Amino acid sequence: MKKITGLFLSLLTGTLLYGQTRAQTSETNQVAALQRQLAGMQHQFDALDKSIDDLTWSQRLGDATLVDKVIITGPPPAVIKNPTGQGAKNPVRFSAYVFIPSRIDPSKKYPLLVLPHGGVHSNFNTAYAHIIKELTAQEYVVIAPDYRGSTGYGQGFYQLIDYGGLEVEDTKSCRDYMLENYDFIDKKRVGILGWSHGGMITLLNLFNHPSDYAVGYAGVPVSDLIARMGYKSQSYRDAYSADYHLGKSADQNVEEYRKRSPAWNAEKLQTPLLVHTNTNDEDVNVLEVEHLIKALKAEGKKFEYEIYKEAPGGHTFNRIDSYGAKESRMKIYNFLAQYLKPNKKFKDVKELIEVSYFPKSK
């Protein structure tokens, strides 16, 4: 009887454990499905937000700037899951914004600025409207790419990200597109500028394609991915090691992180460059940019830089609307103007401010 009872209890326990395991597996699968559904919904929300933001460009810029959104191509994906699939190796299609001063004379020549947006998985949006307004008032033509990995274009495009790799080449493709399609662009007066991750893309464009740009500006640029992985959170590091991202952590493939870090490629600089950073930057720690500056100096490179001390605004200190930010942007515009010779260079901050409210007065 004891043996039978023991056997019965064993069977009963096993059945209960099996049922419990199945229930736990079912719950795990349900949670995973919900997480996938939420991720998909986030991409839908990003696309909606992008569509709404696109509608406001003309409102923000007025009739002083012509706004267009074009679709061009960059290199094929960095990772192709099925290389033999139909169209698997096709160039990646992406969008870019083109801003042209409305009062230009197409029979004349104008300088071009390429402006990659900042942020890992972000996009170009009307937060840059005041900067676009200031640039086009000086009669710069501007192109701003939503390179691979940008948000607002669905999960597939989001997961095409090639951080510090082919997104740099997408940005270069924008420069090439403008020269091929717009006769009023002066091929000898092409510059590039960006902030944060856009600053990193700026630097890597200058390093990888030195003969294609006359000048560059990098504001608070991500400069050293190895150091960055050290002071950021684990969740930040995990994002980079995702299978569709860099695929491995820095300790697993330090050489790859080094290859994509401007500070470790300083020997390649040949183009006039201005760098700004801020000691109270809450995103890109000043130590990254200090490493870049020291590396450029060690290589004997000629460049200009300024380390702002506790400037209000932190990471966005010279992109906001404060007077100090405008003073800093004037330094940027003066530096660019030395090499790009815009037709209507600002004389001072007062003129820069007037453009924000009276664009036709320029």
Side-chain angles (χ1 to χ4, degrees):
M1 178 63 72
K2 288 183 179 179
K3 289 184 178 180
I4 295 175
T5 302
L7 178 62
F8 175 75
L9 290 174
S10 297
L11 290 172
L12 180 60
T13 301
T15 301
L16 290 172
L17 289 174
Y18 175 71
Q20 186 178 16
T21 301
R22 288 191 61 185
Q24 290 173 339
T25 302
S26 177
E27 289 178 2
T28 300
N29 291 338
Q30 289 176 8
V31 169
L34 284 172
Q35 288 174 334
R36 289 193 296 270
Q37 185 177 0
L38 288 172
M41 290 175 65
Q42 182 59 58
H43 290 294
Q44 293 175 359
F45 292 145
D46 288 342
L48 178 61
D49 182 65
K50 166 63 76 172
S51 297
I52 294 171
D53 190 72
D54 279 352
L55 292 173
T56 65
W57 271 112
S58 295
Q59 178 186 4
R60 295 289 302 275
L61 298 181
D63 57 2
T65 303
L66 301 174
V67 183
D68 196 9
K69 190 173 184 180
V70 299
I71 298 176
I72 60 178
T73 58
V79 178
I80 301 175
K81 293 182 179 180
N82 180 16
T84 60
Q86 184 174 348
K89 298 181 181 180
N90 284 349
V92 169
R93 290 172 293 199
F94 65 94
S95 296
Y97 296 86
V98 177
F99 304 96
I100 302 173
S102 59
R103 302 176 71 184
I104 68 170
D105 181 350
S107 66
K108 297 180 180 179
K109 295 291 186 180
Y110 296 86
L112 171 69
L113 281 170
V114 183
L115 175 51
H117 66 76
V120 184
H121 294 307
S122 184
N123 59 50
F124 195 80
N125 54 61
T126 52
Y128 290 88
H130 61 302
I131 293 173
I132 295 296
K133 188 181 293 185
E134 291 167 2
L135 293 173
T136 55
Q138 298 173 77
E139 295 196 344
Y140 285 109
V141 177
V142 182
I143 184 165
D146 270 344
Y147 46 80
R148 68 190 68 200
S150 296
T151 55
Y153 301 94
Q155 184 173 0
F157 189 77
Y158 179 96
Q159 293 186 349
L160 284 175
I161 188 171
D162 187 32
Y163 188 92
L166 294 181
E167 60 185 15
V168 177
E169 300 310 309
D170 288 345
T171 302
K172 165 67 163 46
S173 294
C174 288
R175 175 249 180 220
D176 296 342
Y177 163 81
M178 294 299 290
L179 297 188
E180 291 169 357
N181 288 274
Y182 298 86
D183 291 337
F184 51 80
I185 301 297
D186 188 338
K187 296 182 180 180
K188 295 181 179 180
R189 292 191 288 162
V190 179
I192 182 169
L193 77 161
W195 284 265
S196 192
H197 180 54
M200 172 182 162
I201 291 179
T202 292
L203 291 168
L204 293 177
N205 262 272
L206 296 179
F207 293 170
N208 296 342
H209 307 287
S211 63
D212 292 320
Y213 299 97
V215 65
Y217 167 75
V220 291
V222 173
S223 302
D224 185 347
L225 289 180
I226 301 169
R228 191 168 182 80
M229 293 302 118
Y231 71 78
K232 288 294 186 180
S233 66
Q234 185 58 47
S235 61
Y236 189 91
R237 291 190 285 269
D238 290 343
Y240 280 76
S241 57
D243 57 358
Y244 63 84
H245 210 302
L246 294 186
K248 292 183 178 180
S249 59
D251 65 302
Q252 294 171 331
N253 193 350
V254 69
E255 190 57 36
E256 193 65 33
Y257 282 75
R258 178 174 175 150
K259 183 176 73 174
R260 297 167 190 253
S261 298
W264 292 99
N265 291 272
E267 74 280 359
K268 297 179 182 178
L269 180 68
Q270 300 179 32
T271 312
L273 170 67
L274 172 64
V275 177
H276 282 161
T277 188
N278 190 10
T279 56
N280 63 354
D281 191 326
E282 72 281 7
D283 186 330
V284 178
N285 192 297
V286 68
L287 69 86
E288 285 195 58
V289 190
E290 288 174 333
H291 181 193
L292 171 70
I293 291 167
K294 290 179 179 179
L296 289 169
K297 287 181 177 180
E299 294 292 340
K301 300 300 180 180
K302 293 182 178 180
F303 69 105
E304 295 185 25
Y305 73 94
E306 185 170 354
I307 300 175
Y308 285 78
K309 305 296 183 183
E310 305 293 320
H315 186 57
T316 60
F317 78 99
N318 64 354
R319 284 175 282 172
I320 57 178
D321 293 309
S322 67
Y323 192 86
K326 291 168 185 172
E327 287 183 313
S328 181
R329 290 204 295 278
M330 270 301 302
K331 293 179 181 180
I332 300 169
Y333 300 152
N334 286 336
F335 182 79
L336 296 175
Q338 295 178 55
Y339 305 93
L340 301 181
K341 310 297 182 185
N343 299 334
K344 295 186 176 181
K345 177 181 177 294
F346 291 147
K347 293 189 290 291
D348 50 34
V349 176
K350 180 177 180 294
E351 193 171 26
L352 181 154
I353 294 172
E354 288 175 351
V355 153
S356 298
Y357 300 99
F358 309 106
K360 287 187 177 181
S361 66
K362 278 293 294 167

